[in-house]
Amino acid sequence: MAPRPARPPAAAPEADRVQLGLSLRAHRKARRLTLKDLSGRSGVALSTLSKMELGQISVSYEKLAAVARALSLDVGQLLDARVASPQPGAARPVVVWSDAGDAPAYRSGNYDYRALAAGFPGKRMTPMHGRILARARDQFSDFVRHPGQEFLTVLSGRVRIEFETGEIIEVGRHESAYFDSGVGHIYLSLSRSDAQVLVVMTE
């Protein structure tokens, strides 16, 4: 039997929140936006943005994506300010390489995200490595919703996807699912160890 792939190291949630807060503040100030301005553009509550900048809370992917859109950033650039924005007139890369172990990371509490290919400018897809930490519906305050479509393939373990419509699907290793991400959804690990997935989102 072939050895199972090593699990990417998990960054401490506190470190993830602090890094996100520093990055968010840097990008907001570079655009000369107040928290109120950013709240109006993103639809995320001003109090939530303030706590994000202070590294006091973890937020869901939908809020991360909304803030990134409002700042004209890729989610990976928002997670880590070291991911550079493309310079005007710079040659567009043909391909970028990424390693999930070194990718910008963020833990929401229910998922551990790793933003892949963050250095590719103007991406039309958001690929992420995910580790599913949640195992029960009541670990979520609400279903997750964001514009676009979503594709998931399971790398290890087994995942249950529950939709706000009442539909439920279970996805095993090397199986996949494709759905409208505007419909509320959550992922749950069914396996003994945390399921690992590749998720690709579009808008």
Side-chain angles (χ1 to χ4, degrees), residues 6-78:
R7 173 186 294 180
E14 293 81 5
D16 289 346
R17 292 198 299 263
V18 170
Q19 178 62 58
L20 172 63
L22 293 172
S23 178
L24 173 55
R25 179 172 295 174
H27 285 297
R28 177 178 64 79
K29 287 187 173 293
R31 289 159 179 75
R32 298 182 180 180
L33 296 173
T34 65
L35 283 171
K36 184 176 181 180
D37 294 333
L38 184 55
S39 177
R41 290 188 180 195
S42 66
V44 177
L46 190 153
S47 59
T48 299
L49 290 173
S50 177
K51 290 176 182 177
M52 285 173 66
E53 284 201 356
L54 294 171
Q56 294 177 342
I57 58 170
S58 296
V59 295
S60 65
Y61 173 81
E62 61 187 314
K63 288 186 172 61
L64 288 177
V67 173
R69 283 194 302 272
L71 294 170
S72 299
L73 293 172
D74 176 80
V75 170
Q77 293 172 315
L78 178 60

